[in-house]
Amino acid sequence: MLNFQTHSIFICQSMLNPSSTQAHDIYALFRSFHIAAFGMLALIIFLSFYISIKYRKKKNDESIPKQTTGNKTLEVFMIGIPTLLLIYFFYQSFITMKAVEPAVAEDSAPDIIITGHQFWWDANYNNTKVVTANEIHLPAGKKILLELRAADVIHSFWVPALGNKMDMIPGKPNFIYLNIDKPGTYAGLCSEFCGAEHAWMRMDIVAQNEVDYAKWIAENETGAHAPAGNLATEGSTIFQTSTCASCHRIRGTNALGVIGPDLTHFDSRKKMLAGMMTIDSMNIYRWISAPQKVKPGSKMPDFIFNKDSLQALTAYLLQLK
Ligand code: CUA
């Protein structure tokens, strides 16, 4: 059995801490709906108790209380208030949907294209060379357009603190706008069952101010650092000459695959395997020695690398800052 530490790396996911313009709109609707619903519930509970107590059967009193029918005023209220509430919430929902999900033309130029894969996220930054996976950096305080795609089956993009869910459908791009309030890390997840490892399809959105974001883009536009030391150099050679390179890309090397996550700056990220574990030498070693034991059902096949090769590959991956 392979053990790994996961609990400490979770970030709270809650739509009750809205952190974008879109999430504030959704939260406002959620709140007013709940106030009305709880008000209604409280009224019904109160009336139930009040009537039960007031008209309860009293000792030695077999008489039936006075029966009233056809109270017009009461009926107008009973039908009128729910109808007005329905109209009000229909209108509010409509306004919120229009604000959160405005129509976007299919040929719009997005800032970032995010693609759902079984079971990880790929982020492609338009007009730059930056490609990353699972830890997606976004600028805060600015309106951005994300294009959401799927590479294989239907996935769904959801970052509770940042707004609505949006399905990712093969062959049909969807879009969402985001205006993130402030820098911070926001946890997201796939919210459409997409296969065995659906539960381990998480992501972290790292929102940054303009300066930090520009710095991150500049750092990530560069190719991978050349390996330092014999072990990492050997790892780099193994990576480029084995099947690793047919699925993974490490910019600046001969590894040009696009099936799996881009690993150019792999070790600049905090977690691996779409949020499953932190990046450290032990986790990398375990993963590449038995992928199907660590994340059964993922696209990464089991290889037969010897111990030396595994150590060399681990050393190399840890240098991909
Ligand atoms: Cu992807 Cu669930």
Side-chain angles (χ1 to χ4, degrees):
M1 192 57 207
L2 293 146
N3 295 307
F4 44 85
Q5 187 65 35
T6 54
H7 308 289
S8 59
I9 61 176
F10 282 132
I11 300 162
C12 178
Q13 305 176 118
S14 172
M15 55 83 60
L16 300 177
N17 296 313
S19 302
S20 75
T21 309
Q22 292 73 13
H24 285 293
D25 285 349
I26 295 171
Y27 179 68
L29 177 65
F30 176 86
R31 192 180 46 193
S32 55
F33 180 78
H34 278 80
I35 290 170
F38 278 107
M40 199 68 103
L41 179 68
L43 179 70
I44 290 167
I45 291 173
F46 169 76
L47 287 177
S48 303
F49 275 98
Y50 177 77
I51 291 165
S52 309
I53 292 164
K54 185 163 185 206
Y55 298 105
R56 73 189 186 281
K57 188 168 180 293
K58 293 172 187 103
K59 235 184 186 172
N60 304 323
D61 181 7
E62 295 300 321
S63 69
I64 291 170
K66 187 174 163 254
Q67 304 292 301
T68 327
T69 52
N71 187 326
K72 243 193 190 142
T73 320
L74 208 58
E75 277 170 21
V76 165
F77 274 105
M78 276 165 67
I79 296 166
I81 291 175
T83 307
L84 285 177
L85 276 173
L86 267 178
I87 293 168
Y88 174 75
F89 282 111
F90 178 82
Y91 174 74
Q92 286 298 328
S93 303
F94 189 76
I95 297 289
T96 307
M97 277 166 69
K98 274 200 88 161
V100 171
E101 285 181 38
V104 183
E106 282 223 2
D107 56 355
S108 301
D111 297 290
I112 296 142
I113 299 168
I114 301 176
T115 308
H117 294 255
Q118 284 173 317
F119 302 95
W120 59 281
W121 311 86
D122 175 75
N124 223 297
Y125 292 71
N126 255 353
N127 308 318
T128 77
K129 294 188 195 104
V130 179
V131 180
T132 189
N134 306 323
E135 185 182 299
I136 300 170
H137 289 241
L138 298 176
K142 191 184 159 195
K143 188 176 189 179
I144 48 168
L145 181 63
L146 306 181
E147 180 176 332
L148 303 173
R149 297 182 184 171
D152 33 44
V153 299
I154 300 178
H155 303 273
S156 185
F157 178 91
W158 191 33
V159 185
L162 299 184
N164 57 305
K165 293 177 183 176
M166 183 57 84
D167 276 359
M168 306 171 109
I169 299 161
K172 160 83 177 75
N174 279 335
F175 294 88
I176 56 171
Y177 281 109
L178 278 184
N179 303 60
I180 303 172
D181 295 345
K182 54 184 187 302
T185 304
Y186 306 99
L189 67 162
C190 178
S191 60
E192 177 71 47
F193 182 73
C194 54
E197 295 296 320
H198 157 73
W200 281 122
M201 187 165 167
R202 293 167 177 273
M203 76 185 115
D204 286 330
I205 299 291
V206 180
Q208 292 174 300
N209 64 38
E210 214 179 326
V211 176
D212 290 345
Y213 180 71
K215 198 172 149 232
W216 182 83
I217 290 283
E219 281 166 8
N220 279 268
E221 273 210 297
T222 61
H225 299 293
N230 289 341
L231 195 60
T233 305
E234 195 199 322
S236 163
T237 308
I238 296 168
F239 196 99
Q240 291 178 69
T241 52
S242 72
T243 44
C244 305
S246 43
C247 286
H248 293 282
R249 176 173 42 201
I250 298 179
R251 276 171 284 134
T253 75
N254 293 325
L256 298 168
V258 290
I259 309 271
D262 185 298
L263 300 175
T264 311
H265 297 286
F266 166 71
D267 198 29
S268 71
R269 310 199 274 258
K270 288 199 170 62
K271 303 171 194 170
M272 52 190 268
L273 309 186
M276 201 173 184
M277 50 182 84
T278 48
I279 293 180
D280 61 41
S281 58
M282 197 185 275
N283 283 339
I284 296 171
Y285 187 93
R286 280 172 174 158
W287 166 238
I288 59 178
S289 56
Q292 291 302 316
K293 270 200 193 118
V294 176
K295 198 168 182 180
S298 76
K299 294 263 166 77
M300 177 105 151
D302 282 331
F303 304 101
I304 308 155
F305 286 123
N306 62 35
K307 219 178 150 197
D308 290 344
S309 301
L310 290 168
Q311 270 164 357
L313 281 166
T314 304
Y316 175 53
L317 289 168
L318 276 172
Q319 287 191 5
L320 298 173
K321 293 279 184 194

